[in-house]
Amino acid sequence: MTRVRQIIRYMKELESGYDRTSAALPAETVFLKPDQPLLSGRMRPFAVDPTDDGDYSDLASVPWLWKPTEEPTPSRWYPARTKGHSRGTITNPKTRKAISYASTYEMNLAYMLCATKHVSLVEDQPEAIIVSRDDGDRKHTVDYRATMAVSGYKVVVAVRPSWLLDKDDLRHTVERINGGSLKGFADEAIIMTEREITNDRGWNSKSILRALKGSVGDDNARLADYAAKFQGMVAIRALIDVFDCAAAAWNAVWCLVHDEILLPARPDLKLIDAPYVRFNHNAL
C-alpha cells in the first residue's frame, strides 16, 4: 500500500470515529487457532476393496492415508517467464489442488473462482476445443473451466485485456465456440477482461482463501449472531469490537463474506478501503 493510500485510510477512520494511534500496542504475539491444522494436503481413509476377502476385524480402525496437494493439470504448461508477464500457481484450500496462471489477470480470476461458494471445481487450461473457421478447423485452449456447485453448469472463460481482444479475433472465436464447439465440454463460453477481473476483487478473494485455511467455527458463529442484530450497512469496526482479538475477528469476517452471510457494501473495492457490510438475513 502506498503512503498516500495509508493517509487516506487513516483520514477515513478518523471520520468514522476510530483513531488507530490511540489503540494500545499488543504486549504479546497472538496466534489464530483454526479448527483444522494448516496442512497443504489432507488425510483420507484407506479405501478397502469390496472384493477383498481379507479379515480386518482385528484392526482398531481403518488406516488413513496422507494425500498431498494435487499438482496442477493444465493441458499445456504456461510459457517461460518474460519481462512483462507473471507465471505461477495458487492453491485452492477447499480442494487442495494447485491451479496455474500465466498472467496477473488469470491469477486474480483464479482467486475469484476459488473464493466463491458457487463454484465447486476450477480447471486451468482444459483440453483444447476444435473451432470451425472459414479457413479450416483450429484448436483453441481456454484459460479456465468453472463448474457451478448446485447446477453443475460449466462455464469456460477466456481471459484477455480489452485492448488485445482484436489481436487474434477472440470475440469471433468465442462466438464460434458457443455456436457448436461446446458439446460435452461446457455449457457456455465467455470472455473476461480487466473490467471484471480487477486487482481489488483479486485481493479480496485472496484474503478469503487465506481466512478459510484458518477458519474457526465458534468465531464465525459468534460474529454471525452479533451481526444479525443490525439492519442495513454497518461498519466492520463496530462488529469486530466484540472480539478481544482483532485478527480472529477479521478472519471471521472474511469467512462470513465467503458464505455470503456478510455482504460488502462495495464488492468492487478492497474490503479495507470500504469497510462496511450488510448482514444477509436471507442466508439463515
Side-chain angles (χ1 to χ4, degrees):
M1 181 191 300
T2 63
R3 293 183 178 181
V4 173
R5 296 192 68 178
Q6 289 178 344
I7 294 173
I8 293 175
R9 182 175 299 167
Y10 175 65
M11 294 172 62
K12 288 182 178 179
E13 290 177 346
L14 290 179
E15 291 177 357
S16 64
Y18 174 71
D19 182 4
R20 64 172 58 245
T21 61
S22 62
L25 295 176
E28 59 183 8
T29 302
V30 178
F31 297 95
L32 296 178
K33 299 179 180 179
D35 293 336
Q36 301 292 333
L38 299 179
L39 301 175
S40 58
R42 62 181 62 184
M43 299 296 294
R44 294 284 191 183
F46 183 80
V48 179
D49 187 354
T51 62
D52 189 356
D53 297 332
D55 184 12
Y56 302 103
S57 58
D58 295 337
L59 294 178
S61 62
V62 177
W64 288 72
L65 296 178
W66 169 252
K67 185 178 181 181
T69 297
E70 296 182 33
E71 295 289 335
T73 55
S75 60
R76 64 180 184 182
W77 201 251
Y78 49 75
R81 183 177 180 181
T82 60
K83 199 169 185 179
H85 297 79
S86 60
R87 308 283 189 263
T89 59
I90 70 169
T91 300
N92 186 349
K94 295 188 289 186
T95 60
R96 302 294 203 281
K97 186 178 185 302
I99 300 171
S100 63
Y101 61 86
S103 69
T104 304
Y105 296 112
E106 290 184 18
M107 178 189 69
N108 284 332
L109 179 58
Y111 281 131
M112 292 165 59
L113 293 175
C114 294
T116 173
K117 69 175 186 177
H118 299 292
V119 174
S120 60
L121 179 63
V122 181
E123 299 170 85
D124 51 336
Q125 300 281 337
E127 63 271 18
I129 309 174
I130 303 298
V131 182
S132 300
R133 302 177 64 92
D134 297 337
D135 54 353
D137 294 346
R138 293 187 181 182
K139 290 185 177 181
H140 182 84
T141 304
V142 294
D143 296 300
Y144 292 107
R145 178 168 57 187
T147 304
M148 300 296 107
V150 177
S151 63
Y153 193 82
K154 294 183 178 181
V155 180
V156 291
V157 185
V159 179
R160 192 68 53 86
S162 57
W163 57 87
L164 294 178
L165 288 177
D166 297 330
K167 182 178 180 180
D168 54 2
D169 200 15
L170 184 61
R171 291 191 182 93
H172 185 258
T173 299
V174 171
E175 289 177 0
R176 293 261 182 177
I177 292 175
N178 280 318
S181 302
L182 287 174
K183 185 176 182 181
F185 181 76
D187 297 291
E188 181 183 1
I190 63 174
I191 299 174
M192 296 188 73
T193 68
E194 77 283 352
R195 297 186 181 93
E196 300 85 19
I197 310 170
T198 64
N199 287 331
D200 285 359
R201 291 182 184 273
W203 188 91
N204 285 337
S205 300
K206 183 178 180 180
S207 301
I208 289 174
L209 295 179
R210 185 187 297 116
L212 291 178
K213 291 191 293 185
S215 178
V216 180
D218 291 341
D219 290 344
N220 299 345
R222 178 185 176 189
L223 183 63
D225 290 341
Y226 183 68
K229 301 176 182 179
F230 294 87
Q231 296 288 340
M233 292 297 170
V234 58
I236 293 179
R237 178 63 53 185
L239 298 180
I240 66 177
D241 280 345
V242 298
F243 283 76
D244 295 330
C245 177
W250 267 104
N251 204 77
V253 168
W254 287 115
C255 290
L256 294 185
V257 170
H258 169 267
D259 295 337
E260 296 185 356
I261 295 176
L262 291 180
L263 305 177
R266 291 289 304 273
D268 57 319
L269 299 178
K270 291 181 180 179
L271 189 60
I272 53 175
D273 289 335
Y276 296 90
V277 293
R278 174 173 58 85
F279 184 81
N280 184 9
H281 293 274
N282 297 325
L284 300 180

